[in-house]
Amino acid sequence: MTLRIGDIAPDFTAETTTGLITFHDWIGDDWAFFFSHPADFTPVCTTEMGRTSQLAEQFAQRGVKPIGLSTDTVKEHVKWIEDVNDTQNTDLRFPIVADADLTIAKQYDMIHPSESETAAVRSVFIIDPDKKIRLTMTYPMSVGRNFDEILRVIDALQTGDTHKIATPADWVPGRDVIIPPSVNDADAKSSFPQGFETIRPYLRTVKL
């Protein structure tokens, strides 16, 4: 199944390390960072799980709930969490979905046969409170994710939703943003009374 930006994230019910969840109900009115990893007790995955746990406060400040998945069982996940906590100096509390039969991994197109028939690649789905997929990223099994980028795109999406703007290349909070071409100058002046810079008729920037 191919999932695209703007699609409703498929709902599912599954056992996790924090109990049985129904995904949409679990998200509630928050955002979700749903990410898969190939297997428990593997080195790159251990660092990623640890990093997600270390960033728990950063995710919470943004109203984002992390949730992991691999094609292992809850029993294996629970044992692995002890290793993650020990080696990464953290206290992992977010749920990890058990998907030993690959049902959810296939639903989310996380199984790439050229990589593995049974292990999920490193997929990322950022899902908003309306349960829409707002961003997808896929990393190979051998490459760990960039969590600075994950937080950056969440900031960009949430800032865009709040202010109806777009963000330029390498944008981080505090830098100028872009007024979309769909907003005419009159509306831009009303929305951004602080003023904006017109670099080209199609390229207008503003500091929020």
Side-chain angles (χ1 to χ4, degrees), residues 15-95:
E15 292 288 351
T16 78
T17 51
T18 61
L20 185 71
I21 69 162
T22 298
F23 190 43
H24 283 192
D25 291 343
W26 177 84
I27 295 172
D29 295 326
D30 294 303
W31 291 64
F33 162 46
F34 183 32
F35 66 111
S36 61
H37 58 274
D40 296 354
F41 295 100
T42 53
V44 177
C45 301
T46 297
T47 65
E48 291 188 321
M49 285 293 175
R51 189 62 181 141
T52 303
S53 177
Q54 292 164 3
L55 292 170
E57 186 174 336
Q58 295 275 2
F59 284 116
Q61 287 173 359
R62 293 163 170 81
V64 178
K65 294 178 176 177
I67 181 168
L69 174 146
S70 83
T71 55
D72 295 293
T73 65
V74 167
K75 185 176 180 181
E76 290 168 320
H77 289 341
V78 170
K79 290 180 180 177
W80 181 41
I81 287 171
E82 295 177 8
D83 246 25
V84 172
N85 288 339
D86 185 42
T87 62
Q88 306 304 305
N89 191 30
T90 190
D91 181 16
L92 194 159
R93 295 178 179 270
F94 62 86

Side-chain angles (χ1 to χ4, degrees), residues 6-182:
D7 288 348
I8 298 297
D11 199 10
F12 58 82
T13 299
E15 292 288 351
T16 78
T17 51
T18 61
L20 185 71
I21 69 162
T22 298
F23 190 43
H24 283 192
D25 291 343
W26 177 84
I27 295 172
D29 295 326
D30 294 303
W31 291 64
F33 162 46
F34 183 32
F35 66 111
S36 61
H37 58 274
D40 296 354
F41 295 100
T42 53
V44 177
C45 301
T46 297
T47 65
E48 291 188 321
M49 285 293 175
R51 189 62 181 141
T52 303
S53 177
Q54 292 164 3
L55 292 170
E57 186 174 336
Q58 295 275 2
F59 284 116
Q61 287 173 359
R62 293 163 170 81
V64 178
K65 294 178 176 177
I67 181 168
L69 174 146
S70 83
T71 55
D72 295 293
T73 65
V74 167
K75 185 176 180 181
E76 290 168 320
H77 289 341
V78 170
K79 290 180 180 177
W80 181 41
I81 287 171
E82 295 177 8
D83 246 25
V84 172
N85 288 339
D86 185 42
T87 62
Q88 306 304 305
N89 191 30
T90 190
D91 181 16
L92 194 159
R93 295 178 179 270
F94 62 86
I96 305 174
V97 175
D99 190 33
D101 64 2
L102 313 184
T103 298
I104 301 164
K106 289 179 178 178
Q107 197 174 19
Y108 276 79
D109 197 26
M110 294 170 172
I111 303 295
H112 292 201
S114 294
E115 288 275 285
S116 172
E117 294 283 353
T118 59
V121 293
R122 299 183 194 285
S123 298
V124 172
F125 295 88
I126 304 299
I127 301 165
D128 71 16
D130 293 326
K131 317 307 181 283
K132 286 186 179 180
I133 296 171
R134 300 296 299 277
L135 177 133
T136 65
M137 290 188 281
T138 303
Y139 291 74
M141 292 183 179
S142 59
V143 179
R145 280 165 270 232
N146 184 322
F147 282 83
D148 289 338
E149 172 62 5
I150 288 166
L151 292 175
R152 188 193 78 87
V153 295
I154 291 169
D155 286 338
L157 288 167
Q158 294 181 343
T159 301
D161 286 358
T162 300
H163 298 283
K164 309 305 179 189
I165 52 81
T167 53
D170 297 330
W171 177 86
V172 292
R175 293 186 181 176
D176 290 0
V177 298
I178 292 171
I179 301 171
S182 58

Side-chain angles (χ1 to χ4, degrees), residues 168 177-181 196-206:
V177 298
I178 292 171
I179 301 171
F196 56 87
E197 180 180 3
T198 301
I199 300 169
R200 292 288 188 276
Y202 65 88
L203 179 56
R204 297 163 297 169
T205 62
V206 63

